[in-house]
Amino acid sequence: MIRRAFFALLLATCSLHAADLKIGVIDMSKVFQEFHKTKSAAEKYKANYDKAAQEMQERSTVYKNLNAEAQKLQKIASDPIITQEQRAKYGAELNEKIKEIRSMEMEMQEFAERRQAQLKQEDMQIRKGLYEEILLVVKDRSKVEKYDMVFDKTGVSLSTVPIILHVREGFATDLTDQLIVELNKNAPPPGTEPKKEEAAAPAKTEEPKK
C-alpha cells in the first residue's frame, strides 16, 4: 500500500512538473535479453548444466551396474545346487553389494541437490553482475544526457501489476534501443570466444564415485 502511494505521488509530481523534468523509460527485460554478455553467460550456464547432467548420468550408469551385479549374486545365492558354504559366501557378497547400492543412492541424491544449488547460485550471481553492469551504463547515460528520472517500464509491484501503467506520448523518452546499442558496441564478432574476464566461471565438478 505504501509503495503504491509512493509511486502515485511520484507520478503525480511528474505530471505537475513535466515541463521541467526530463524523463526516460527503459525496457529492462529487453535490454537484458539483448545484451551480448547475457547470451554468452547463457551459453556458459548451459554448458555447466549439461556437464552436471552428464555427471549424473555417469552415476546412474554405475548405479545400474551395481543393481545388475546384485541381481546376479541373488540368483546365484538362491540356486539350489550350490553348497551351504557357497550360499553363505554369495549371500555375504550380496549384502555388501546392497550396502554399496544404498550408499550410491544417497550419494546420487546429495550430488543432485548440491549441483542444483550450485547452478542456481551461479545463475543468480551471473544475473546480478549483468544487471549491475547495465545499471551502471544507465546511470552514466542519465548523467551525461541530464535525465531527472529513468524508469524500468517492465517493472512490477508486489502484486505483479506493472508499476508504470501508462506514459503519455512525448512525456518520456524510451532509451531501450540506445542502451542496447551502447552495451553491445564492444561485443565480439559472432563465432568468436568471449574474453576471459567476460566468461562465467565454471562451477566446480566432481568425479563420479565408483
Side-chain angles (χ1 to χ4, degrees):
M1 183 64 70
I2 294 176
R3 186 172 179 177
R4 288 181 181 178
F6 167 76
F7 280 106
L9 177 61
L10 182 61
L11 291 175
T13 302
C14 291
S15 298
L16 291 173
H17 302 281
D20 302 321
L21 293 176
K22 189 173 182 180
I23 309 296
V25 293
I26 296 174
D27 185 335
M28 284 294 287
S29 178
K30 181 179 179 181
V31 170
F32 183 81
Q33 293 299 324
E34 293 297 323
F35 188 17
H36 72 94
K37 289 187 179 181
T38 299
K39 299 175 182 179
S40 175
E43 292 173 359
K44 294 290 182 180
Y45 179 84
K46 184 178 184 303
N48 288 336
Y49 180 89
D50 290 344
K51 190 168 187 177
Q54 178 61 34
E55 292 169 350
M56 192 63 191
Q57 181 59 45
E58 290 171 358
R59 283 166 166 76
S60 179
T61 299
V62 173
Y63 179 74
K64 289 178 181 178
N65 290 338
L66 288 173
N67 272 285
E69 292 171 7
Q71 291 175 4
K72 183 178 179 180
L73 286 170
Q74 185 176 26
K75 183 177 181 180
I76 295 175
S78 60
D79 193 329
I81 67 173
I82 64 174
T83 65
Q84 284 296 110
E85 291 77 9
Q86 290 176 317
R87 195 183 310 282
K89 175 180 176 295
Y90 287 115
E93 291 181 10
L94 176 60
N95 288 334
E96 289 301 316
K97 190 64 64 176
I98 291 174
K99 290 180 182 179
E100 195 174 350
I101 289 172
R102 297 294 175 261
S103 177
M104 188 67 188
E105 289 173 345
M106 292 179 62
E107 196 277 336
M108 289 175 66
Q109 181 176 352
E110 291 173 358
F111 172 82
E113 292 174 352
R114 182 169 62 254
R115 292 296 277 121
Q116 184 177 13
Q118 288 175 347
L119 288 169
K120 182 178 180 180
Q121 181 65 24
E122 176 189 335
D123 184 52
M124 291 175 61
Q125 290 177 344
I126 290 174
R127 286 177 174 274
K128 182 175 182 293
L130 292 172
Y131 273 118
E132 287 176 350
E133 189 168 350
I134 292 171
L135 289 175
L136 184 61
V137 175
V138 171
K139 290 178 181 178
D140 289 343
R141 173 175 280 272
S142 299
K143 290 178 182 178
V144 171
E145 300 187 7
K146 301 185 184 306
Y147 278 91
D148 295 289
M149 296 181 183
V150 177
F151 296 96
D152 172 16
K153 66 181 183 180
T154 58
V156 295
S157 66
L158 294 176
S159 59
T160 70
V161 176
I163 294 173
I164 299 179
L165 301 176
H166 171 70
V167 176
R168 178 167 51 83
E169 185 177 355
F171 179 74
T173 302
D174 193 323
L175 304 173
T176 303
D177 292 338
Q178 299 175 41
L179 187 59
I180 291 173
V181 171
E182 184 170 351
L183 285 166
N184 292 330
K185 63 183 180 182
N186 296 321
T192 60
E193 291 293 327
K195 295 180 180 179
K196 291 183 179 180
E197 62 270 21
E198 294 179 359
K204 293 182 178 179
T205 59
E206 301 176 5
E207 292 298 324
K209 294 182 179 180
K210 302 294 183 180

